[in-house]
Coordinates of all heavy atoms in Angstrom, one line a residue:
M1 N 56.7 43.1 17.1 CA 56.0 41.8 16.9 C 56.6 41.1 15.6 O 56.7 41.8 14.6 CB 54.5 42.1 16.8 CG 53.7 40.8 16.6 SD 53.5 39.7 18.0 CE 52.5 40.7 19.2
I2 N 56.9 39.9 15.7 CA 57.4 39.1 14.6 C 56.2 38.5 13.9 O 55.3 38.0 14.5 CB 58.4 38.0 15.1 CG1 59.6 38.6 15.7 CG2 58.8 37.1 13.9 CD1 60.4 37.6 16.6
H3 N 56.2 38.6 12.5 CA 55.1 38.0 11.8 C 55.6 36.7 11.1 O 56.4 36.7 10.2 CB 54.7 39.0 10.7 CG 53.4 38.6 10.0 ND1 52.9 39.2 8.9 CD2 52.5 37.6 10.3 CE1 51.8 38.6 8.6 NE2 51.5 37.6 9.4
L4 N 55.0 35.6 11.5 CA 55.2 34.3 10.9 C 54.1 34.0 10.0 O 52.9 33.9 10.4 CB 55.4 33.2 12.0 CG 55.3 31.8 11.6 CD1 56.5 31.4 10.6 CD2 55.3 30.8 12.8
Q5 N 54.4 33.8 8.7 CA 53.4 33.5 7.7 C 53.7 32.1 7.3 O 54.8 31.8 6.8 CB 53.4 34.4 6.6 CG 53.1 35.8 6.9 CD 53.1 36.8 5.7 OE1 52.2 36.7 4.9 NE2 54.1 37.6 5.6
I6 N 52.7 31.2 7.4 CA 52.8 29.8 6.9 C 52.1 29.7 5.6 O 50.9 29.9 5.6 CB 52.3 28.9 8.0 CG1 53.1 29.1 9.3 CG2 52.5 27.4 7.5 CD1 52.5 28.3 10.5
C7 N 52.8 29.3 4.6 CA 52.2 29.2 3.3 C 51.1 28.1 3.3 O 51.3 27.0 3.8 CB 53.2 28.8 2.2 SG 52.5 28.7 0.6
Q8 N 49.9 28.4 2.8 CA 48.8 27.5 2.8 C 48.5 27.1 1.4 O 47.4 26.6 1.1 CB 47.6 28.1 3.5 CG 47.9 28.3 5.0 CD 48.1 27.1 5.8 OE1 47.2 26.2 5.9 NE2 49.3 26.8 6.3
G9 N 49.4 27.4 0.4 CA 49.2 27.0 -0.9 C 49.2 25.4 -1.0 O 49.6 24.8 -0.1
T10 N 48.7 24.9 -2.1 CA 48.5 23.5 -2.2 C 49.8 22.7 -2.0 O 49.8 21.7 -1.3 CB 47.9 23.1 -3.6 OG1 46.7 23.9 -3.8 CG2 47.7 21.6 -3.8
T11 N 50.9 23.1 -2.7 CA 52.1 22.3 -2.5 C 52.6 22.3 -1.1 O 52.9 21.3 -0.5 CB 53.2 22.9 -3.4 OG1 52.8 22.9 -4.8 CG2 54.5 22.2 -3.3
C12 N 52.7 23.5 -0.5 CA 53.1 23.5 0.9 C 52.2 22.8 1.8 O 52.6 22.1 2.8 CB 53.3 25.0 1.4 SG 54.7 25.8 0.6
Y13 N 50.9 22.9 1.6 CA 49.9 22.2 2.4 C 50.2 20.7 2.4 O 50.2 20.1 3.4 CB 48.5 22.6 1.9 CG 47.4 22.1 2.8 CD1 47.0 23.0 3.8 CD2 46.8 20.9 2.6 CE1 45.9 22.6 4.7 CE2 45.8 20.5 3.5 CZ 45.3 21.4 4.5 OH 44.3 21.0 5.4
I14 N 50.4 20.2 1.2 CA 50.6 18.8 1.0 C 51.9 18.4 1.7 O 52.1 17.3 2.2 CB 50.6 18.4 -0.5 CG1 49.1 18.5 -1.0 CG2 51.1 17.0 -0.7 CD1 49.0 18.4 -2.5
M15 N 52.9 19.3 1.6 CA 54.2 18.9 2.1 C 54.4 19.2 3.6 O 55.5 19.2 4.1 CB 55.3 19.7 1.3 CG 55.3 19.4 -0.2 SD 56.0 17.7 -0.5 CE 57.7 18.1 -0.4
G16 N 53.3 19.5 4.3 CA 53.4 19.5 5.7 C 53.1 20.9 6.4 O 53.1 21.0 7.6
A17 N 52.6 21.8 5.6 CA 52.3 23.1 6.2 C 51.1 23.0 7.1 O 51.0 23.8 8.1 CB 52.1 24.2 5.1
A18 N 50.2 22.1 6.8 CA 49.0 22.0 7.6 C 49.4 21.6 9.1 O 48.9 22.2 10.0 CB 48.0 21.0 7.0
Q19 N 50.2 20.6 9.2 CA 50.6 20.2 10.5 C 51.5 21.2 11.2 O 51.4 21.4 12.4 CB 51.4 18.9 10.4 CG 50.6 17.7 9.9 CD 50.5 17.6 8.4 OE1 50.9 18.5 7.6 NE2 50.0 16.4 7.9
L20 N 52.3 21.9 10.3 CA 53.2 23.0 10.9 C 52.3 24.1 11.5 O 52.6 24.6 12.5 CB 54.1 23.5 9.8 CG 55.1 24.5 10.1 CD1 56.1 23.9 11.2 CD2 55.9 24.9 8.9
A21 N 51.3 24.4 10.8 CA 50.4 25.5 11.2 C 49.8 25.1 12.6 O 49.7 26.0 13.5 CB 49.3 25.8 10.2
S22 N 49.3 23.9 12.7 CA 48.7 23.4 14.0 C 49.8 23.5 15.1 O 49.5 24.0 16.2 CB 48.2 22.0 13.8 OG 47.2 21.9 12.9
A23 N 51.0 23.0 14.8 CA 52.0 23.0 15.8 C 52.4 24.5 16.2 O 52.6 24.7 17.4 CB 53.2 22.3 15.3
C24 N 52.4 25.4 15.2 CA 52.9 26.7 15.5 C 51.8 27.5 16.3 O 52.2 28.6 16.9 CB 53.2 27.5 14.2 SG 54.8 27.0 13.5
L25 N 50.6 27.0 16.4 CA 49.6 27.7 17.2 C 49.9 27.4 18.7 O 49.3 28.0 19.6 CB 48.2 27.2 16.9 CG 47.7 27.7 15.5 CD1 46.4 27.1 15.2 CD2 47.7 29.2 15.5
Q26 N 50.8 26.5 19.0 CA 51.1 26.1 20.4 C 52.6 26.4 20.6 O 53.3 25.5 21.2 CB 50.7 24.7 20.6 CG 49.3 24.5 20.4 CD 48.9 23.0 20.6 OE1 49.6 22.2 21.0 NE2 47.6 22.7 20.2
L27 N 53.1 27.5 20.2 CA 54.5 27.8 20.4 C 54.8 28.0 21.9 O 53.9 28.3 22.7 CB 54.8 29.2 19.7 CG 54.8 29.2 18.2 CD1 54.9 30.6 17.7 CD2 56.0 28.3 17.7
P28 N 56.0 27.7 22.3 CA 56.4 27.9 23.7 C 56.1 29.3 24.2 O 56.2 30.2 23.4 CB 57.9 27.5 23.8 CG 58.1 26.8 22.5 CD 57.1 27.2 21.5
A29 N 55.9 29.4 25.5 CA 55.5 30.7 26.1 C 56.6 31.8 25.8 O 56.2 33.0 25.6 CB 55.3 30.5 27.6
D30 N 57.8 31.5 25.8 CA 58.9 32.5 25.6 C 58.9 33.1 24.2 O 59.5 34.1 24.0 CB 60.3 31.9 26.0 CG 60.7 30.8 25.1 OD1 59.8 29.9 24.8 OD2 61.8 30.8 24.7
V31 N 58.2 32.4 23.3 CA 58.2 32.9 21.9 C 56.8 33.4 21.6 O 56.6 34.4 20.9 CB 58.6 31.8 21.0 CG1 58.4 32.2 19.5 CG2 60.0 31.3 21.2
R32 N 55.8 32.8 22.1 CA 54.4 33.0 21.7 C 54.0 34.5 21.7 O 53.3 35.0 20.8 CB 53.5 32.2 22.6 CG 52.0 32.2 22.2 CD 51.2 31.3 23.1 NE 52.0 30.4 23.9 CZ 51.8 29.9 25.1 NH1 50.7 30.3 25.7 NH2 52.6 29.1 25.7
D33 N 54.3 35.2 22.8 CA 53.9 36.5 23.0 C 54.5 37.5 22.0 O 54.1 38.7 21.9 CB 54.1 37.0 24.4 CG 53.3 36.2 25.4 OD1 52.3 35.6 25.0 OD2 53.6 36.2 26.6
K34 N 55.6 37.1 21.3 CA 56.3 38.0 20.4 C 56.0 37.7 18.9 O 56.6 38.3 18.1 CB 57.8 37.9 20.7 CG 58.1 38.4 22.1 CD 59.6 38.3 22.3 CE 60.0 38.8 23.7 NZ 61.4 38.7 24.0
V35 N 55.1 36.7 18.7 CA 54.9 36.3 17.3 C 53.5 36.3 16.9 O 52.6 35.8 17.7 CB 55.5 34.8 17.1 CG1 55.3 34.3 15.7 CG2 57.0 34.8 17.5
R36 N 53.2 36.8 15.8 CA 51.8 36.7 15.2 C 51.9 35.7 14.1 O 52.7 35.8 13.2 CB 51.4 38.1 14.6 CG 50.0 38.1 14.1 CD 49.5 39.5 13.9 NE 50.2 40.2 12.8 CZ 49.7 40.3 11.6 NH1 48.5 39.9 11.2 NH2 50.5 40.9 10.6
V37 N 51.1 34.7 14.2 CA 51.1 33.6 13.3 C 49.8 33.7 12.4 O 48.7 33.8 12.8 CB 51.0 32.2 14.0 CG1 51.1 31.0 13.0 CG2 52.2 32.1 15.0
T38 N 50.1 33.7 11.0 CA 49.0 33.7 10.1 C 49.3 32.7 9.0 O 50.5 32.3 8.8 CB 48.8 35.1 9.5 OG1 49.9 35.5 8.7 CG2 48.5 36.1 10.6
G39 N 48.3 32.4 8.2 CA 48.5 31.7 7.0 C 48.7 32.7 5.8 O 48.4 33.9 6.0
C40 N 49.1 32.2 4.7 CA 49.2 33.1 3.5 C 49.0 32.2 2.3 O 49.1 31.0 2.3 CB 50.5 33.9 3.5 SG 52.0 32.9 3.2
R41 N 48.7 32.9 1.2 CA 48.5 32.2 -0.1 C 49.9 31.8 -0.6 O 50.9 32.2 0.0 CB 47.9 33.2 -1.1 CG 46.5 33.5 -0.8 CD 45.9 34.4 -1.8 NE 44.5 34.7 -1.5 CZ 43.7 35.3 -2.3 NH1 44.1 35.7 -3.5 NH2 42.5 35.6 -2.0
C42 N 49.9 31.0 -1.6 CA 51.2 30.5 -2.2 C 52.2 31.7 -2.4 O 51.8 32.7 -3.0 CB 50.9 29.9 -3.6 SG 52.4 29.4 -4.5
L43 N 53.3 31.5 -1.9 CA 54.4 32.5 -1.9 C 55.1 32.6 -3.3 O 55.9 33.4 -3.5 CB 55.4 32.3 -0.8 CG 54.9 32.5 0.6 CD1 55.8 31.9 1.6 CD2 54.7 34.0 0.9
G44 N 54.7 31.6 -4.2 CA 55.3 31.6 -5.5 C 56.6 30.9 -5.6 O 57.3 31.0 -6.6
L45 N 57.0 30.3 -4.5 CA 58.4 29.7 -4.4 C 58.4 28.2 -4.8 O 59.4 27.6 -4.9 CB 58.9 29.9 -3.0 CG 59.0 31.3 -2.6 CD1 59.2 31.4 -1.0 CD2 60.2 32.0 -3.3
C46 N 57.2 27.6 -4.9 CA 57.1 26.2 -5.2 C 57.2 25.9 -6.7 O 57.1 24.7 -7.1 CB 55.8 25.7 -4.6 SG 54.3 26.5 -5.3
R47 N 57.3 26.9 -7.5 CA 57.3 26.7 -8.9 C 58.7 26.4 -9.4 O 59.7 26.4 -8.7 CB 56.7 27.9 -9.6 CG 55.3 28.2 -9.1 CD 54.7 29.4 -9.8 NE 53.4 29.5 -9.2 CZ 52.9 30.7 -8.7 NH1 53.7 31.7 -8.7 NH2 51.8 30.8 -8.1
D48 N 58.8 26.1 -10.7 CA 60.1 25.8 -11.4 C 60.9 24.7 -10.7 O 62.1 24.8 -10.5 CB 60.9 27.1 -11.4 CG 60.2 28.2 -12.2 OD1 59.5 27.9 -13.2 OD2 60.3 29.4 -11.8
G49 N 60.2 23.7 -10.2 CA 60.8 22.5 -9.7 C 61.3 22.7 -8.2 O 61.9 21.8 -7.7
A50 N 60.9 23.8 -7.6 CA 61.3 24.0 -6.2 C 60.3 23.5 -5.2 O 60.4 23.7 -4.0 CB 61.6 25.5 -6.0
F51 N 59.3 22.7 -5.7 CA 58.3 22.2 -4.8 C 58.9 21.3 -3.8 O 58.4 21.1 -2.7 CB 57.2 21.5 -5.6 CG 57.7 20.4 -6.5 CD1 57.9 19.1 -6.0 CD2 57.8 20.6 -7.8 CE1 58.4 18.1 -6.8 CE2 58.3 19.6 -8.7 CZ 58.6 18.4 -8.2
G52 N 60.1 20.7 -4.1 CA 60.7 19.8 -3.1 C 61.3 20.5 -1.9 O 61.6 19.9 -0.9
D53 N 61.3 21.8 -1.9 CA 61.8 22.6 -0.8 C 60.6 23.1 0.1 O 60.8 23.8 1.1 CB 62.6 23.8 -1.2 CG 64.0 23.4 -1.8 OD1 64.5 22.3 -1.4 OD2 64.6 24.1 -2.6
A54 N 59.4 22.7 -0.3 CA 58.2 23.1 0.5 C 58.2 22.2 1.8 O 58.8 21.1 1.7 CB 57.0 22.9 -0.3
P55 N 57.6 22.6 2.8 CA 56.8 23.8 3.0 C 57.7 25.1 3.2 O 58.7 25.0 3.9 CB 55.9 23.5 4.1 CG 56.7 22.6 5.0 CD 57.5 21.8 4.0
Y56 N 57.2 26.2 2.8 CA 57.8 27.5 3.0 C 57.1 28.3 4.0 O 55.8 28.2 4.1 CB 57.8 28.3 1.7 CG 58.7 27.7 0.6 CD1 58.1 26.9 -0.4 CD2 60.0 28.0 0.5 CE1 58.9 26.4 -1.4 CE2 60.8 27.5 -0.5 CZ 60.2 26.7 -1.5 OH 61.0 26.2 -2.5
V57 N 57.9 29.0 4.8 CA 57.3 30.0 5.7 C 58.0 31.3 5.5 O 59.1 31.3 5.0 CB 57.3 29.6 7.2 CG1 56.6 28.3 7.4 CG2 58.8 29.5 7.7
K58 N 57.4 32.4 5.9 CA 58.0 33.7 5.8 C 58.0 34.2 7.2 O 57.0 34.3 7.9 CB 57.2 34.6 4.9 CG 57.9 35.8 4.5 CD 57.1 36.5 3.4 CE 57.8 37.8 3.0 NZ 57.0 38.6 2.0
I59 N 59.2 34.6 7.7 CA 59.3 35.2 9.0 C 59.8 36.7 8.8 O 60.9 36.9 8.4 CB 60.3 34.5 9.9 CG1 59.8 33.0 10.1 CG2 60.4 35.1 11.3 CD1 60.8 32.1 10.8
D60 N 58.8 37.6 9.0 CA 59.0 39.0 8.5 C 59.4 38.9 7.1 O 58.6 38.5 6.2 CB 60.0 39.7 9.4 CG 59.5 39.9 10.8 OD1 58.2 40.0 11.0 OD2 60.2 40.0 11.8
D61 N 60.7 39.3 6.7 CA 61.0 39.3 5.3 C 61.9 38.1 4.9 O 62.3 38.0 3.8 CB 61.8 40.6 5.0 CG 61.0 41.8 5.1 OD1 59.8 41.7 4.8 OD2 61.5 42.9 5.4
E62 N 62.1 37.2 5.8 CA 63.0 36.1 5.6 C 62.2 34.8 5.2 O 61.2 34.5 5.8 CB 63.8 35.8 6.8 CG 64.7 34.5 6.8 CD 65.3 34.2 8.1 OE1 65.1 34.9 9.1 OE2 66.0 33.1 8.2
I63 N 62.6 34.2 4.1 CA 62.0 32.9 3.7 C 62.7 31.8 4.3 O 63.9 31.7 4.3 CB 62.0 32.8 2.1 CG1 61.2 34.0 1.5 CG2 61.5 31.4 1.7 CD1 59.7 33.9 1.7
L64 N 61.9 30.8 4.7 CA 62.5 29.6 5.3 C 61.9 28.4 4.5 O 60.7 28.2 4.4 CB 62.2 29.4 6.8 CG 62.9 28.4 7.6 CD1 64.4 28.7 7.6 CD2 62.3 28.4 9.0
A65 N 62.8 27.6 3.8 CA 62.4 26.5 3.0 C 62.5 25.2 3.9 O 63.2 25.2 4.9 CB 63.3 26.4 1.8
R66 N 61.8 24.2 3.4 CA 61.7 22.9 4.2 C 61.5 23.2 5.6 O 62.2 22.6 6.5 CB 63.0 22.2 4.0 CG 63.3 21.8 2.5 CD 64.6 21.0 2.3 NE 64.9 20.8 0.9 CZ 65.2 19.7 0.4 NH1 65.3 18.6 1.1 NH2 65.4 19.6 -0.9
A67 N 60.5 24.0 5.9 CA 60.2 24.4 7.3 C 59.7 23.3 8.1 O 58.9 22.5 7.7 CB 59.2 25.6 7.3
T68 N 60.3 23.2 9.3 CA 59.8 22.2 10.3 C 59.6 23.0 11.6 O 60.0 24.2 11.7 CB 60.9 21.2 10.6 OG1 62.0 21.8 11.2 CG2 61.3 20.4 9.4
L69 N 58.9 22.4 12.5 CA 58.7 23.1 13.8 C 60.0 23.5 14.4 O 60.2 24.6 14.9 CB 57.8 22.3 14.7 CG 57.5 22.9 16.1 CD1 56.8 24.2 15.9 CD2 56.8 22.0 17.0
E70 N 61.0 22.6 14.3 CA 62.3 22.9 14.9 C 63.0 24.1 14.2 O 63.5 24.9 14.9 CB 63.2 21.6 14.8 CG 62.7 20.5 15.7 CD 61.4 19.8 15.2 OE1 61.2 19.8 13.9 OE2 60.7 19.1 16.0
S71 N 63.0 24.1 12.9 CA 63.7 25.2 12.2 C 62.9 26.5 12.4 O 63.6 27.5 12.5 CB 63.9 24.8 10.7 OG 62.6 24.8 10.0
V72 N 61.6 26.4 12.4 CA 60.9 27.7 12.6 C 61.1 28.2 14.0 O 61.4 29.4 14.2 CB 59.3 27.4 12.4 CG1 58.5 28.6 12.9 CG2 59.1 27.2 10.9
L73 N 61.1 27.3 15.0 CA 61.3 27.7 16.4 C 62.7 28.3 16.5 O 62.9 29.3 17.2 CB 61.1 26.5 17.3 CG 60.9 26.8 18.7 CD1 59.8 27.9 19.0 CD2 60.5 25.5 19.5
A74 N 63.7 27.7 15.9 CA 65.1 28.2 16.0 C 65.2 29.6 15.4 O 65.8 30.5 16.0 CB 66.0 27.3 15.3
A75 N 64.5 29.8 14.3 CA 64.5 31.1 13.6 C 63.8 32.2 14.5 O 64.2 33.3 14.6 CB 63.9 31.0 12.2
L76 N 62.7 31.8 15.0 CA 61.9 32.7 15.9 C 62.7 33.0 17.1 O 62.8 34.2 17.6 CB 60.6 32.1 16.3 CG 59.6 31.9 15.1 CD1 58.3 31.2 15.6 CD2 59.2 33.3 14.6
R77 N 63.3 32.0 17.7 CA 64.1 32.3 19.0 C 65.3 33.2 18.7 O 65.6 34.1 19.5 CB 64.6 31.0 19.5 CG 63.6 30.2 20.3 CD 64.2 29.6 21.6 NE 63.1 29.2 22.5 CZ 62.6 28.0 22.6 NH1 63.0 27.0 21.9 NH2 61.6 27.8 23.5
A78 N 65.9 33.1 17.5 CA 67.0 34.0 17.2 C 66.5 35.4 17.1 O 67.1 36.4 17.5 CB 67.6 33.5 15.8
R79 N 65.3 35.6 16.5 CA 64.7 36.9 16.4 C 64.2 37.4 17.7 O 64.3 38.6 17.9 CB 63.6 36.9 15.3 CG 64.1 36.8 13.9 CD 63.0 36.8 12.9 NE 63.5 36.8 11.6 CZ 63.5 37.8 10.8 NH1 63.0 39.0 11.2 NH2 64.1 37.8 9.6
T80 N 63.6 36.6 18.5 CA 63.1 37.1 19.8 C 64.2 37.5 20.7 O 64.0 38.4 21.5 CB 62.2 36.1 20.5 OG1 62.9 34.9 20.7 CG2 60.9 35.8 19.7
E81 N 65.4 36.9 20.5 CA 66.5 37.4 21.3 C 67.0 38.8 20.9 O 67.5 39.5 21.7 CB 67.7 36.4 21.2 CG 67.3 35.1 22.0 CD 68.3 34.0 21.7 OE1 69.3 34.2 21.0 OE2 68.1 32.8 22.1
E82 N 66.7 39.1 19.6 CA 67.0 40.4 19.1 C 65.9 41.4 19.4 O 66.2 42.6 19.4 CB 67.2 40.4 17.6 CG 68.3 39.5 17.1 CD 68.3 39.2 15.6 OE1 67.4 39.8 14.9 OE2 69.1 38.4 15.2
T83 N 64.7 41.0 19.6 CA 63.5 41.8 19.8 C 63.3 42.0 21.3 O 63.1 41.0 22.0 CB 62.3 41.2 19.2 OG1 62.6 40.9 17.8 CG2 61.1 42.1 19.3
P84 N 63.3 43.2 21.8 CA 63.1 43.5 23.2 C 61.6 43.1 23.6 O 60.7 43.2 22.9 CB 63.3 45.0 23.4 CG 63.4 45.6 22.1 CD 63.6 44.5 21.1
Ligands
FES1 S1 52.4 26.5 -2.2 FE1 53.8 27.4 -0.8 S2 55.1 28.5 -2.1 FE2 53.6 27.8 -3.4

């Protein structure tokens, strides 16, 4: 099972994580059954001027910056093809 964590810290939330979380709850069927979607507290990546790369998500141990539904879906599909 792949674990998708969507940062729900203030910066990410403002930069689109709220909409991303809603969209990710309706992942396509070929991906949905292999992914557990949760929110998480600030990943600590928005500091030191990196807030412009928000929203951040974490897919297992991989961080994805400037996450969009398209980029998250692409990353998940790449992993689901590896995951039986
Ligand atoms: S709010 Fe998302 S990394 Fe800080």
Side-chain angles (χ1 to χ4, degrees):
M1 182 69 71
I2 297 166
H3 189 190
L4 167 62
Q5 297 180 73
I6 302 172
C7 182
Q8 297 294 293
T10 303
T11 301
C12 288
Y13 191 87
I14 290 170
M15 297 291 280
Q19 293 85 351
L20 185 60
S22 297
C24 284
L25 291 177
Q26 300 175 9
L27 291 169
D30 62 317
V31 174
R32 188 180 338 150
D33 294 342
K34 296 180 178 176
V35 179
R36 182 167 67 102
V37 182
T38 64
C40 65
R41 294 182 180 187
C42 174
L43 292 164
L45 301 164
C46 58
R47 301 183 183 125
D48 301 325
F51 53 83
D53 289 335
Y56 292 95
V57 302
K58 191 172 180 185
I59 302 174
D60 291 333
D61 293 330
E62 177 188 356
I63 296 291
L64 194 61
R66 298 181 186 227
T68 63
L69 180 59
E70 292 75 22
S71 67
V72 170
L73 198 48
L76 291 174
R77 280 219 161 99
R79 284 178 179 257
T80 56
E81 288 170 7
E82 297 167 4
T83 305

